[in-house]
Structure formats: C-alpha cells, structure tokens
Amino acid sequence: MKLKLSDEVQFVKGVGPKWAERLSKLEIKTVRDLLYYFPREYEDRSQISQIKYTAVGEQANFKVEVLKIDYQKIRYNLDLLRVTFSDGSDVVNGIWYNQSYLRDQFNVGDKYLISGKISEKNWRKYKRKEINNPVYEKLESEASVLNTGRIVPVYSLTEGITQRRLRRVIANALKSYASLLKDQLPDSIRKKEDFPDLKTSILGMHFPKNEKHQKISRRRLAFEEFFYLQLYALEEKKKYNDLVGIQHQFKEKESQDFLAGLGFELTDAQKQVYSEIRKDMESKKTMSRLLQGDVGSGKTVVAALALLQTVANGFQGIFMAPTEILAEQHFLNFKELLNDFDYDIHLLTGSVKASERRQIETEIEAGKTDLIIGTHALFQESLNYNNPGLIVIDEQHRFGVEQRHSLKEKGDSPDLLIMTATPIPRSMAMLIYGDLDLSVIDEMPPGRKKIATFWRRENRRKQIYAFLKEKIEAGRQAYIVCPLIEKSEEMPELISAEELYNDLQSGILKDYKLALIHSSIPADEKKEIMEKFRDGEIDVLVATTVIEVGVDVSNASIMVIENAERFGLAQLHQLRGRVGRGRHQSYCILISNPPGEDASHRLEIMCKSNNGFLIAEEDLKMRGPGEFFGTKQHGIDDLKVASLIDDQKLLVDARDEAQKIVKDENWQQKYNNLAKIISKIELKI
C-alpha cells in the first residue's frame, strides 16, 4: 500500500484503533496531524555526568550498566524494586515502588541511559545515591534513544497517553513517512533565510540533535506559517485593489464647512488618518482600510468626513453598526454632524416596521437617500442601493469577512472603511487583517480626562457604595458590570447581575433609580432601558458585558466591575471606555480577590495605564492570540509554531517575501503548490 501523509493515524506502528481514539482527543487524526503535533517544551538530558562527581539533589543523566536487581515485598500493598547501576566511577540505585512488572525490563549486564535527581532524603537516611523513578532507556543503539541522553521533547497529553509511548509513536511515523515531507517554500526564500528543508525541520522539532537544530527548525516552520497566511491575505487584498473602483473628487468647500462647524480642531492623528483615507478615495483603486482607534479617540468624526466626501460626489454612503442601540446613536450623531448640509439620512434596523422599511428601501433604490445607517439589516438581498461610494463598518470583528465582502458586492466596487475600538497589537492586525491597509488614531483629543482606575478587594464594598452614592447625589450616573446573568451552581463565587440588582434595589441603593440589562432581555426592552439611561431617568445600570459596545452617556462617570479577574485586559479596557465621555472626572473601580499572580498583574496594568495599545500588547502576552477576541479565530489558532509575541520580526519578513511573490501577475502559475495551499485557507475573523 502506498503511504500518504493523509493516512489515518491508526496505521502508524504502535498506534492501532484504541490509541487512535485517544489521539483524536488531541486533534490528531492523520499522520500529518501527528507529525505536526509539536512539543510544548524540551528537557536537555544530553549531558552525561559521572555518578562519583554528581551532588545529592542534582538532576543528572548517566550512561550505566546493570549490576544487581533486588525485589522485596515489604508488606501488603507495598513492594520495592531496587536496580543497582554503575558507570565505572560509582554506583547509583534506581528505586521503584509498586511497579513489580519492571523486573522483567532489566537484566544484569544490560546497558542503559538513566536520568533523574539523586534523592537528598535517601542520602540522609541510608548514605546511598538513589534516584526515585528514574527515566530509563536501554542502549541497544545510540540512534534509537528517545527518552534520555539527548534533548527530549515534552508533549501536551490527554488521558491514557504517556510521553514515552507518544515519543515512540512519533519516531515510528517519522521513520516511515518523513520522506513524504516535500518542501513548498520557494528555494530562493530557503536560501536567503538559510532554512533547512522541511524533513530536517520536522525532525528538528521532535528530536533535535542539539539546541541550534531545534531553533533553526522552529524558525523555518514559524516563517512558513506566517508566509502562507500573508500570501492568502495579500492575494485577497489584491483582488479588491485590482478592481477599478470609484475615484472621488475632493470637495474642498464641503470639507471646510464641516470642519468649521465642529467647534474643535482635529488632532494630528485624526488629520493624518483622514489624509490616508482621502488619498485612497481619490485613487482609482478600491479602498480597503482598517481604522483602529481607542475609545473616544474620534474615529466617528473621521468617518463622517469620509462619508461627506462620497455623498458630496453624488454617491450613497453606508454606515453599519453592530447593535441597534449603537446604530441609533450614530444616526443621531451623523444628523447633528451633517446638520448644515441638505442630505437625506435614514436609519434601517431589524425593528423598523414593515411598511416604514418598504418606504425606506424604495427611497434608497431611487437614489433619494444619501446616507444609510443601520445594522445587519443592511445585508438583506431585497435591499438595492443606488451607486454606493463608501461603506463604513464599525467594530469589524463582530461581523466577519464574508459579510463585509457581501456588502461590498451590493455596489460597483465601493470603498470600504472598517473601524474598531479594540486596540489590536500591530503583529495581530498584520496577520488577521492582512488584506486591509492599516490606519491608527493613537492620540486622544485635548482636555480629555484620564479615567481614574482603582482595584479594591471585596471587603471594601461598603466604601465603594458610599463613594457611588456621593457621585449619584452630585448628579452623575453609574454602570455596575457583572460576569454572569444569573447565579451559577458551578461558579458560586461569581456575582450575577440579577442577584446584585435585587440586593441593591432593596438594600443600599433603594433610594435611587436602578435598571437591569443583559443579553436575555428582549431587544425592544434593552433599547428602552438604554434610552432612559441616556436621558438620565436611570441612576445606576446593573449589566453584563452587553454594554461593552453601547451608547455614549456623557453623564455616566462611574464604572464598577464585579469579579474583575474574570475578564481579559482588552475587555476591561472596553468596559472602562463606557465612562469618561463627558466633562466630569470619571472613575473605574475593579472589585476582585484575584486567585493568582496573573489575575493580580492584569488588574495592576489596568490601574496604571489608560493606553489601549499598551494594554492590548499585555493582553496578547498573557492570554495568547487565540483568545484575544474572546472567541477562537481561524488562522490565529492554526499557528502551531509561530508566536505573535516572540516572532514579530519574522512576521514582517514573511510579509515582505509574500509581497514580492504576489506582485507577479502570473504567480499562481509559477508557484502552483503555493496557490493550492492558500486556496484551502479559511480565515474568518
């Protein structure tokens, strides 16, 4: 039978159906999966020591011969196997309790490599050098040694799988299948970067000859992962950039009138970003740009300027928000920002009544509407736009690649601007938004007060509520965020929104107007609650993270976050951004008795910094890229070797090489294998 990397893993020597079932829990189903299941760490057992010169308590590796085997039944349920080894300089005993089956493993005169720590306790008691449960490997030939006497791989395991057996199975797979590992990286890149071939690299990840072999193998495989993803992203980008798009003419008068009516000057960062957007809009190519900016940095004003340009050029502008509440807020903002212009602006969301919807759709199709603001309702097949020129999507990661492209297909290659208030580290943005150009507003408007952030333990609750009452009496409003909607038997230590709302309403805050909001509340009711909060009819809003992307309430100046240790840094920063939007000093109070150092470190970072990009970098380091948005992402999670934290230069190098290839119009014909690889990539963000 012809061997293939796609063969089921059960056919590898030493696996079989039962072990294949166990391996499937590690997502290992084929031989390829097994070969690409890399160690989580390594133990260097390559240095051979002499027993005579090894100190008690020291971890060491010895090349030895079996001198004596002694087995004793000490008492019921306790037996002892003592094997005496010698390396010619001295002797050491290997000690095993209740493992009588190991007697058959050892014969006098057999040669072994053994590893372990010489027991201090046994030395004090018996004055003998002894190792409890040493790692051992019979020396039949030096090449066959997997568990000691070398740099040894350590894998993540699941129930029923041991390190020793997994190493042997991987070694068997490499012996039979390694010759099938064919290089797909272009030779020019391999030579330039001085990379080993694929077979050598896979061997170097599992059973490296030395540290250098492991490092260069890892570097090559990390580069390869980045390279394929960048090739995919750049090809996607090219598809849209190569389209002849709309060439907007700069409307200077409208732009000047808009800026004059603002009552404040744009920050340097806003001016720079608008200049990048304007350049794109005035070119023949279709714009595909990601605009990153922290909460309150002024992204909406920049978007309004861009939308004004498209509308002034006679095209329709489209603005999509992730929630109805937010869409409505943007609708009111844009009406105010464009108040001095005679443009027709419509709001289209799922809750618009059928008759009104039909009327709006008719006006959009007839070209009577200049700017359409809405939610997912803007995707409907029945909705036909009249020459859209620019689409702006707010909070991109809440939609998806397919959705943004399907909206673009509604028109004749309109420009696309995507905005996010989630600060994304540059390396991550380059990987997952590689098909977009990147603009960053990294400066806050002048006079914006820093949100004072404090971490307090549970025993300070009384003082926290006294402070809260004092601010409410002064006319301010507050959010209190909980990790759960209702009490959980599995996590009794967590405070739920329903439970806290009931306690506060009948207790310490009974004299104030409270409301409860969470994802299980019907959309109409949620909308009504948020409107009342915005209008000042509610003093305290007890909520879950449903308010993470919500309306601006300039009078809300206190954010209390319960069980703050349960949230990631990026999410804590997003929640904190709900306050600090008005002229009053704002406060964020994190209530937490953190269970460990990591959680304490997160809370300390929040108290020290209001810089979203710094916080995002820390969040990426602590939680890893797969969890950055709170849900696993295709593409990011496919990184088995590369690290967005440690390999940022490698990512830039991989992108540079991918760009060189994609520049060639016929690259897919020249590099047919690369084209096949990227055709199988599904990057969904």
Side-chain angles (χ1 to χ4, degrees):
M1 188 176 91
K2 192 180 177 186
L3 297 179
K4 301 187 299 297
L5 292 174
S6 57
D7 288 347
E8 287 179 35
V9 75
Q10 66 169 316
F11 299 119
V12 173
K13 186 182 173 187
V15 180
K18 192 176 174 184
W19 241 64
E21 204 174 306
R22 290 173 185 171
L23 287 171
S24 71
K25 291 175 185 169
L26 297 172
E27 300 293 314
I28 299 171
K29 290 169 184 165
T30 67
V31 174
R32 185 187 295 279
D33 295 337
L34 183 64
L35 296 184
Y36 278 83
Y37 189 74
F38 296 124
R40 60 179 162 82
E41 60 183 347
Y42 299 86
E43 286 180 11
D44 190 350
R45 299 178 190 165
S46 61
Q47 300 304 310
I48 303 297
S49 304
Q50 285 191 295
I51 299 167
K52 183 178 180 178
Y53 301 112
T54 303
V56 171
E58 195 177 325
Q59 181 83 27
N61 313 296
F62 306 112
K63 198 182 232 181
V64 292
E65 184 179 321
V66 177
L67 289 186
K68 191 168 71 166
I69 301 154
D70 182 27
Y71 174 71
Q72 299 170 37
K73 192 92 173 158
I74 297 170
R75 60 172 186 270
Y76 176 71
N77 266 355
L78 183 64
D79 57 53
L80 167 72
L81 174 66
R82 180 186 289 112
V83 179
T84 304
F85 299 100
S86 170
D87 67 352
S89 74
D90 201 350
V91 296
V92 66
N93 293 325
I95 304 290
W96 289 271
Y97 290 99
N98 290 341
Q99 296 180 65
S100 57
Y101 62 90
L102 291 178
R103 277 186 293 177
D104 300 333
Q105 296 276 331
F106 301 102
N107 294 299
V108 173
D110 284 352
K111 290 186 168 53
Y112 277 85
L113 276 169
I114 63 169
S115 297
K117 188 185 282 188
I118 295 180
S119 169
E120 292 181 52
K121 185 181 172 185
N122 293 16
W123 176 259
R124 282 198 306 270
K125 205 169 178 181
Y126 309 113
K127 286 290 178 282
R128 292 196 295 253
K129 286 187 176 179
E130 295 188 332
I131 302 172
N132 293 318
N133 285 307
V135 173
Y136 61 91
E137 187 130 25
K138 194 171 183 181
L139 267 174
E140 286 161 351
S141 78
E142 301 278 335
S144 69
V145 172
L146 298 177
N147 300 294
T148 190
R150 64 175 309 130
I151 292 174
V152 177
V154 180
Y155 299 91
S156 295
L157 302 175
T158 189
E159 195 179 347
I161 293 178
T162 62
Q163 292 288 350
R164 181 180 283 270
R165 178 87 177 267
L166 185 56
R167 286 179 199 131
R168 175 54 60 200
V169 162
I170 289 172
N172 291 342
L174 284 165
K175 192 174 178 182
S176 302
Y177 290 88
S179 61
L180 302 178
L181 291 162
K182 301 298 180 201
D183 253 299
Q184 307 298 343
L185 267 187
D187 288 343
S188 56
I189 294 176
R190 271 186 48 212
K191 282 173 188 162
K192 183 184 172 187
E193 298 288 341
D194 198 21
F195 287 145
D197 63 27
L198 184 59
K199 179 181 169 182
T200 306
S201 300
I202 299 285
L203 281 164
M205 284 298 288
H206 290 293
F207 302 110
K209 294 172 192 167
N210 48 45
E211 192 180 350
K212 185 184 175 186
H213 184 197
Q214 191 275 328
K215 281 186 172 172
I216 196 164
S217 299
R218 187 199 165 278
R219 187 171 179 272
R220 180 242 147 93
L221 292 167
F223 178 94
E224 195 165 7
E225 287 181 331
F226 283 150
F227 176 70
Y228 295 147
L229 285 168
Q230 289 303 294
L231 208 54
Y232 165 83
L234 290 167
E235 181 59 17
E236 286 295 299
K237 184 176 182 177
K238 191 178 171 192
K239 278 181 199 171
Y240 291 96
N241 278 4
D242 285 355
L243 293 172
V244 176
I246 294 159
Q247 191 170 12
H248 289 85
Q249 300 301 313
F250 179 55
K251 299 292 182 182
E252 192 169 0
K253 184 182 184 306
E254 283 85 347
S255 189
Q256 284 176 348
D257 290 349
F258 176 87
L259 292 168
L262 282 178
F264 58 84
E265 195 178 342
L266 297 185
T267 62
D268 289 343
Q270 283 174 309
K271 288 174 187 172
Q272 172 60 35
V273 164
Y274 178 58
S275 154
E276 291 164 5
I277 291 167
R278 199 185 126 185
K279 189 179 172 187
D280 281 356
M281 289 180 73
E282 288 169 26
S283 81
K284 285 181 183 176
K285 289 183 176 178
T286 305
M287 173 171 77
S288 287
R289 187 168 285 278
L290 173 69
L291 171 55
Q292 271 186 268
D294 217 337
V295 174
S297 60
K299 295 184 299 298
T300 307
V301 172
V302 173
L305 253 174
L307 286 163
L308 175 63
Q309 285 298 311
T310 205
V311 170
N313 270 271
F315 299 102
Q316 281 182 334
I318 299 168
F319 186 101
M320 189 170 72
T323 65
E324 289 203 7
I325 296 167
L326 210 50
E328 191 172 313
Q329 179 179 295
H330 281 302
F331 174 68
L332 297 173
N333 279 348
F334 281 119
K335 282 196 79 99
E336 193 176 325
L337 285 167
L338 302 173
N339 189 40
D340 295 337
F341 301 90
D342 187 23
Y343 293 129
D344 194 59
I345 305 172
H346 268 117
L347 175 68
L348 189 60
T349 63
S351 60
V352 171
K353 290 185 175 70
S355 57
E356 193 183 340
R357 178 192 299 277
R358 280 194 295 274
Q359 179 64 31
I360 292 171
E361 287 181 6
T362 303
E363 289 185 17
I364 290 170
E365 201 167 336
K368 292 178 182 174
T369 305
D370 300 297
L371 180 57
I372 304 108
I373 293 154
T375 54
H376 289 79
L378 301 178
F379 285 124
Q380 317 171 133
E381 280 186 33
S382 61
L383 186 52
N384 296 308
Y385 295 99
N386 190 304
N387 208 8
L390 171 66
I391 298 163
V392 180
I393 300 179
D394 196 20
E395 289 306 333
Q396 143 72 8
H397 65 273
R398 291 166 187 272
F399 294 106
V401 176
E402 291 92 343
Q403 285 174 306
R404 79 178 187 222
H405 288 334
S406 72
L407 192 54
K408 279 194 76 168
E409 283 157 14
K410 292 273 187 185
D412 189 14
S413 302
D415 287 331
L416 177 68
L417 178 66
I418 285 158
M419 304 200 302
T420 180
T422 304
I424 305 162
R426 193 168 186 89
S427 61
M428 184 178 254
M430 198 188 286
L431 182 73
I432 61 176
Y433 297 119
D435 61 321
L436 304 170
D437 291 310
L438 183 64
S439 288
V440 179
I441 300 180
D442 53 5
E443 177 186 7
M444 289 303 228
R448 193 174 170 93
K449 293 186 178 78
K450 184 180 172 184
I451 300 164
T453 305
F454 305 97
W455 160 28
R456 296 290 180 260
R457 293 185 180 271
E458 297 275 355
N459 60 8
R460 299 290 296 278
R461 197 174 287 281
K462 195 176 173 185
Q463 292 93 322
I464 292 165
Y465 287 131
F467 176 75
L468 194 66
K469 285 166 79 171
E470 181 191 311
K471 293 297 172 190
I472 297 168
E473 290 294 339
R476 306 288 78 75
Q477 290 164 277
Y479 296 96
I480 302 179
V481 178
C482 303
L484 300 174
I485 294 175
E486 55 190 27
K487 190 93 179 136
S488 162
E489 286 180 19
E490 288 82 26
M491 295 176 282
E493 75 284 2
L494 299 189
I495 292 173
S496 73
E498 287 184 352
E499 175 189 22
L500 187 64
Y501 171 72
N502 292 329
D503 288 351
L504 294 176
Q505 198 180 36
S506 57
I508 198 162
L509 299 180
K510 66 177 186 293
D511 298 329
Y512 303 98
K513 289 168 280 184
L514 272 66
L516 173 68
I517 191 166
H518 52 69
S519 57
S520 299
I521 289 171
D524 288 353
E525 205 177 316
K526 271 201 291 236
K527 191 176 169 187
E528 190 183 338
I529 292 166
M530 287 310 294
E531 280 170 359
K532 283 184 176 177
F533 189 60
R534 187 172 59 200
D535 295 341
E537 294 172 35
I538 293 166
D539 298 314
V540 179
L541 192 59
V542 180
T544 57
T545 55
V546 72
I547 56 108
E548 185 184 346
V549 175
V551 294
D552 288 348
V553 180
S554 58
N555 191 46
S557 64
I558 306 123
M559 167 66 68
V560 178
I561 303 175
E562 297 280 357
N563 296 113
E565 77 283 351
R566 301 293 298 186
F567 302 93
L569 272 170
Q571 194 169 33
L572 286 172
H573 183 65
Q574 283 286 101
L575 288 167
R576 174 170 63 182
R578 293 292 100 218
V579 296
R581 291 165 173 267
R583 56 191 173 86
H584 306 288
Q585 174 61 55
S586 289
Y587 305 87
C588 178
I589 302 164
L590 309 167
I591 304 180
S592 175
N593 289 357
E597 278 184 34
D598 272 6
S600 300
H601 183 52
R602 271 206 305 276
L603 301 174
E604 283 163 4
I605 291 166
M606 282 297 295
C607 295
K608 284 178 190 166
S609 179
N610 268 247
N611 182 324
F613 290 98
L614 185 147
I615 285 168
E617 288 285 354
E618 287 294 329
D619 202 27
L620 182 60
K621 284 178 197 169
M622 293 184 79
R623 292 201 298 159
E627 296 289 351
F628 188 83
F629 288 122
T631 56
K632 291 281 187 180
Q633 311 294 326
H634 294 287
I636 305 174
D637 300 319
D638 295 338
L639 297 177
K640 290 179 167 59
V641 184
S643 160
L644 283 174
I645 299 150
D646 302 324
D647 298 320
Q648 295 193 18
K649 186 183 179 303
L650 205 59
L651 173 57
V652 173
D653 290 348
R655 188 172 179 83
D656 288 347
E657 292 300 334
Q659 271 172 331
K660 285 176 196 169
I661 284 178
V662 172
K663 270 181 190 172
D664 187 333
E665 288 297 317
N666 302 312
W667 80 266
Q668 298 211 8
Q669 284 75 43
K670 287 183 185 174
Y671 300 100
N672 190 250
N673 287 342
L674 292 181
K676 279 181 189 169
I677 289 168
I678 72 158
S679 71
K680 291 172 187 167
I681 294 175
E682 268 189 85
L683 191 60
K684 295 179 184 177
I685 308 301

